[in-house]
Structure formats: C-alpha cells, structure tokens
Amino acid sequence: AYGDGSLPSVSVAFLSMEERMEKEYLLFDLDGTLTDPKEGITKSVRHALKAYNIEVEDLDTLCCFIGPPLKDSFIEYYGFSEEDAVNAIGVYREYFSDRGIFENEVYEGIEEMLKALTSSGKKLFVASSKPEVFVRKIMEHFGLDSYFTFMGGADLGETRVKKADVIRYVLAENGITDLEKVIMIGDRKHDILGAREVGVDSVGVLYGYGDREELTGAQADFLAETVFDLQNLL
C-alpha cells in the first residue's frame, strides 16, 4: 500500500507465481469490466427519465447508472420513490431490449485475455447485476460466451439484483464451495462490496467506470490499471 493506504495498480511483478495461480474460479462483472455499455445504458436511462418529464442533454451525466442496480440509481440520483423506480426500469427496458442492448463494445484486449485464461485452466463466470437474459444475449452477440462456464445475472423480477446475491447464485449453481479459490473482478464498488459480503477476494479494474478512490474505499484486494495488468494478475 501507498503511504495514504491506497493500493498500487497490480502488475505481474506484484505477486509471486504461487499467489497468481491460486484462484481457479474467476467471476467477472459485465458492464464496465468486459464491455463498455455507455451508449446503450445512458440512452436507455434518458428514455426512462423522459417519461417522467426529465430531459437530459448530456449523456455523460448518466454514467453513474453503469454498474449499480437500476432501482438504486433512480432512487439515489433522481429521488424516485421505490414504486416509481420499479416503473422506470420497465420504461428503461423498452429502449434497452430493442436497441440499447447492442449499443455496446468489448474492451480492447478482453477476448485475448479470456482466451489465455481458459487455456491456462481457469474457469470463468459472469456475475452481473444486469438481468441474466440480457447478459446471455450480449455475450452471445460478441462471441464471448464460449469462454465462460456459466453466465449469471439478476432476475427480471429484481429479487436477485444485489451483487452479493448474484455471486452467491453463481457459486451455488456451479457447486463452488471453496471460497479461497474464487475471485470477483469488477469496476464499481458494488462488485467489491458484494465480494466482501460473500467472503471472496476481489479485483477492482480502473479502465471501467469506478475510480481508484471508489475501489480502494470499498477495500478491493487488488487493482488493475489495464486489461493487460488484469490478465497478468489472474
């Protein structure tokens, strides 16, 4: 750690070979970690807000919606009641399921990393707060699904949406009980806090939508500045 208690960005030299190889089950967040969904998510949020007579010109102001559960974000950032937030999600999905889902792109180097990790014997999983039906469509659209043992996400009824619940679901569905062999990789504090709640280690990636302050504040075990750094760590 630095003098201020923050973590350095991880490079291959940061860990011994034994430490680097101890994790067998790698759980990846989707938005901001495997793909950059900025255009699709922000346009879908703008569509939902317009239904409540809220006009948004600058889509960059809606990047805060990338990562956390949607209901929480509508409540936190626009003061929606829980009922309005649930209804807003329905309006959001009108745009997202038709267009926004594929207004998205894979981060450079991701497929090469996934290929290297699977070739080395790691087992890869998706653990996303996005509804699982959308997770699978996105992964299949970009041809990334073949690298993953299981792709898990939230349910459409919003009963399984918190990151800790999604992580538990992925582990249970795959019979994974040795938490020492599991690590969660994500770009927002929700990924890190969810991992801590379940009792697994975490990597915060700095190329997504969470910054160093957010990820160190959530007590990420490791940080990776780039996809290349992440590959070396894992």
Side-chain angles (χ1 to χ4, degrees), residues 157-177:
E158 297 286 308
T159 59
R160 183 181 69 243
V161 68
K162 299 290 187 184
K163 188 50 64 92
D165 293 336
V166 174
I167 293 172
R168 291 189 186 101
Y169 162 70
V170 171
L171 298 179
E173 287 291 303
N174 292 278
I176 300 169
T177 57

Side-chain angles (χ1 to χ4, degrees), residues 27-138:
L27 277 58
F28 288 87
D29 175 46
L30 176 56
D31 294 338
T33 302
L34 296 175
T35 70
D36 183 352
K38 176 181 174 179
E39 181 181 358
I41 288 181
T42 56
K43 285 184 176 179
S44 299
V45 173
R46 181 173 65 182
H47 174 77
L49 292 174
K50 191 172 183 179
Y52 289 84
N53 297 314
I54 301 171
E55 296 289 341
V56 177
E57 295 297 330
D58 184 1
L59 290 175
D60 285 348
T61 64
L62 301 178
C63 286
C64 54
F65 279 80
I66 301 173
L70 283 171
K71 184 172 74 171
D72 294 350
S73 295
F74 281 118
I75 292 171
E76 179 177 355
Y77 299 117
Y78 283 89
F80 280 25
S81 67
E82 185 156 341
E83 181 181 1
D84 282 343
V86 169
N87 291 335
I89 291 171
V91 182
Y92 169 98
R93 289 177 181 162
E94 292 173 358
Y95 182 96
F96 187 81
S97 61
D98 181 48
R99 295 176 57 187
I101 187 171
F102 300 130
E103 292 175 327
N104 195 348
E105 60 183 28
V106 180
Y107 284 115
E108 184 177 355
I110 287 292
E111 185 161 13
E112 291 79 4
M113 177 188 71
L114 299 178
K115 197 174 296 184
L117 292 174
T118 53
S119 294
S120 71
K122 305 294 186 183
K123 294 181 174 63
L124 278 51
F125 306 83
V126 175
S128 172
S129 291
K130 184 184 293 297
E132 189 169 307
V133 62
F134 295 147
V135 169
R136 292 176 179 273
K137 285 182 179 179
I138 292 166

Side-chain angles (χ1 to χ4, degrees), residues 174-192:
N174 292 278
I176 300 169
T177 57
D178 187 351
L179 301 186
E180 290 293 322
K181 294 183 178 180
V182 179
I183 194 159
M184 176 73 212
I185 303 106
D187 69 311
R188 299 298 308 272
K189 65 181 181 181
H190 309 82
D191 302 303
I192 308 308

